[in-house]
Amino acid sequence: MSPIISVSGLSKTYASGFTALKSINLGIKPGEIFALLGPNGAGKTTLINIICGIANASSGEVLVDGHDIRRDYRTTRSLIGLVPQELHTDAFETVWATVSFSRGLFGKPKNPAHIEKVLKDLSLWDKKDSKIVTLSGGMKRRVMIAKALSHEPQILFLDEPTAGVDVELRKAMWDVVRTLRASGVTIILTTHYIEEAEEMADRVGVINRGEIILVEEKAALMQKLGQKRLKLHLQGKIDAVPTPLAAYNLELAGDGTELIYTYDTRSEHTGITSLLSDLRAAGIRFSDLDTTQSSLEEIFVSLVRA
Ligand SMILES: Nc1ncnc2c1ncn2[C@@H]1O[C@H](COP(=O)(O)OP(=O)(O)OP(=O)(O)O)[C@@H](O)[C@H]1O
Ligand SMILES: [Mg+2]
């Protein structure tokens, strides 16, 4: 299947001289949920804004459904809905007026039935006559989503959709996104949260310092992120890992005073219980233990080093 969005050789250097994106290549498949995961300042918003035609690239090309975003701006923009990271709405308009007005901006004929459906899907129907200024932050965020969906886009960008949103609303928003995907909308979202990518995405792209360092099916990435290390601080020093413990692939560290066991938190049996009893049987005593989970940061580091 040919990608619905195709980004090639995309670079961005801001007027300040700072290079925020370095030769990005990325294809988004029609109908998928793609999560762009990366730390603050990685270039997520810059990339999204360029794909949506809001910011200009310094070089490279973006095709949306086969159309160049610069040459065919109106066509491509009408295919896209964008929920920006920064919320800004007309505070004194009503929900209904704001969302209807957004549709008009794309030159689409009025369609009150569609607006009604969008507001109902986002649990905003009972707020349709309320002024935006009277809504809570989470409601405002949903109004932004409603605006982005007002013109029936095929592609929806959500830039940090759940930043500052409570757990309950976050789950409700995930449901909305899933419903949209089921209706055939392609979704690209950015997030800092591994859990969010895990919950939502079909594929995950990791971006760091303006470079896409990995694009993978979610399941494969989560396996890498699921690795945990158990470190045992031994009471005495050992020269080698005793042979009966070979199957655990233990690593001897700290000059023979530490044993490190790596396991997958997602597997049914982590092997920790049997490791501890086999250690005892081998006469190895430990004074303390701690576990560390490979963080996104560590994955970045190991990817960048590789
Ligand atoms: N208008 C601008 N002029 C100069 N530098 C900019 C501009 N906008 C963004 N940058 C820089 O580009 C880099 C990428 O910023 P961007 O907003 O794309 O990151 P992000 O991944 O969206 O981060 P966050 O997770 O904090 O939203 C940052 O170092 C930022 O300071
Ligand atoms: Mg951002």
Side-chain angles (χ1 to χ4, degrees):
M1 216 187 297
S2 55
I4 192 159
I5 293 174
S6 165
V7 175
S8 41
L10 192 76
S11 296
K12 172 71 177 182
T13 301
Y14 280 109
S16 62
F18 181 80
T19 299
L21 295 176
K22 299 169 194 159
S23 197
I24 302 281
N25 296 302
L26 183 65
I28 303 295
K29 300 176 193 172
E32 75 173 334
I33 299 182
F34 187 91
L36 196 56
L37 189 61
N40 284 133
K44 302 180 296 295
T45 299
T46 303
L47 178 58
I48 282 188
N49 286 350
I50 292 174
I51 296 176
C52 295
I54 288 172
N56 284 319
S58 306
S59 59
E61 184 186 56
V62 178
L63 299 179
V64 175
D65 203 19
H67 302 279
D68 185 284
I69 47 152
R70 278 196 264 196
R71 268 198 311 273
D72 299 322
Y73 176 71
R74 283 186 70 84
T75 312
T76 54
R77 190 64 184 85
S78 73
L79 297 173
I80 290 176
L82 167 66
V83 182
Q85 185 168 11
E86 306 295 335
L87 300 180
H88 44 77
T89 42
D90 312 300
F92 299 102
E93 292 280 8
T94 65
V95 170
W96 177 270
T98 299
V99 176
S100 304
F101 179 73
S102 284
R103 180 178 173 91
L105 288 179
F106 291 92
K108 295 253 170 147
K110 284 197 166 68
N111 185 348
H114 174 67
I115 306 292
E116 180 175 338
K117 181 177 185 311
V118 166
L119 293 182
K120 283 184 173 163
D121 286 350
L122 290 160
S123 309
L124 284 170
W125 185 241
D126 59 330
K127 298 285 174 194
K128 69 179 171 23
D129 299 318
S130 304
K131 290 195 166 66
I132 309 278
V133 71
T134 67
L135 303 180
S136 76
M139 290 173 196
K140 285 187 189 132
R141 204 165 269 281
R142 278 180 282 158
V143 172
M144 297 300 288
I145 300 179
K147 281 176 63 161
L149 293 173
S150 63
H151 62 288
E152 297 163 77
Q154 285 179 29
I155 306 163
L156 181 65
F157 285 90
L158 296 159
D159 196 356
E160 310 278 341
T162 60
V165 164
D166 70 31
V167 181
E168 202 177 325
L169 181 56
R170 183 171 293 183
K171 291 200 169 132
M173 291 183 51
W174 289 345
D175 284 341
V176 168
V177 171
R178 283 195 199 95
T179 310
L180 282 169
R181 199 260 302 267
S183 73
V185 177
T186 304
I187 292 149
I188 296 101
L189 59 91
T190 71
T191 183
H192 301 121
Y193 305 122
I194 295 169
E195 310 81 62
E196 185 151 86
E198 176 170 21
E199 182 71 29
M200 296 300 305
D202 300 309
R203 281 196 309 151
V204 178
V206 178
I207 183 169
N208 191 33
R209 295 174 202 265
E211 289 180 280
I212 302 255
I213 52 180
L214 165 139
V215 174
E216 216 154 4
E217 297 291 329
K218 191 238 325 258
L221 179 63
M222 288 309 149
Q223 199 176 9
K224 287 185 189 165
L225 288 168
Q227 299 270 307
K228 231 171 167 179
R229 285 153 60 92
L230 170 70
K231 192 194 270 185
L232 299 158
H233 303 268
L234 307 182
Q235 286 183 359
K237 193 171 160 170
I238 58 172
D239 297 326
V241 179
T243 325
L245 298 171
Y248 295 102
N249 290 319
L250 299 173
E251 188 189 322
L252 192 56
D255 255 352
T257 60
E258 292 166 0
L259 278 175
I260 296 168
Y261 174 55
T262 306
Y263 60 99
D264 188 345
T265 51
R266 272 145 234 270
S267 70
E268 233 173 276
H269 303 287
T270 58
I272 293 175
T273 327
S274 56
L275 170 66
L276 296 184
S277 63
D278 287 351
L279 278 170
R280 187 174 330 181
I284 297 178
R285 302 267 179 271
F286 56 91
S287 52
D288 197 6
L289 57 86
D290 54 67
T291 61
T292 46
Q293 178 133 29
S294 27
S295 66
L296 190 55
E297 205 62 42
E298 282 172 349
I299 298 261
F300 283 147
V301 172
S302 65
L303 285 166
V304 171
R305 274 211 208 105

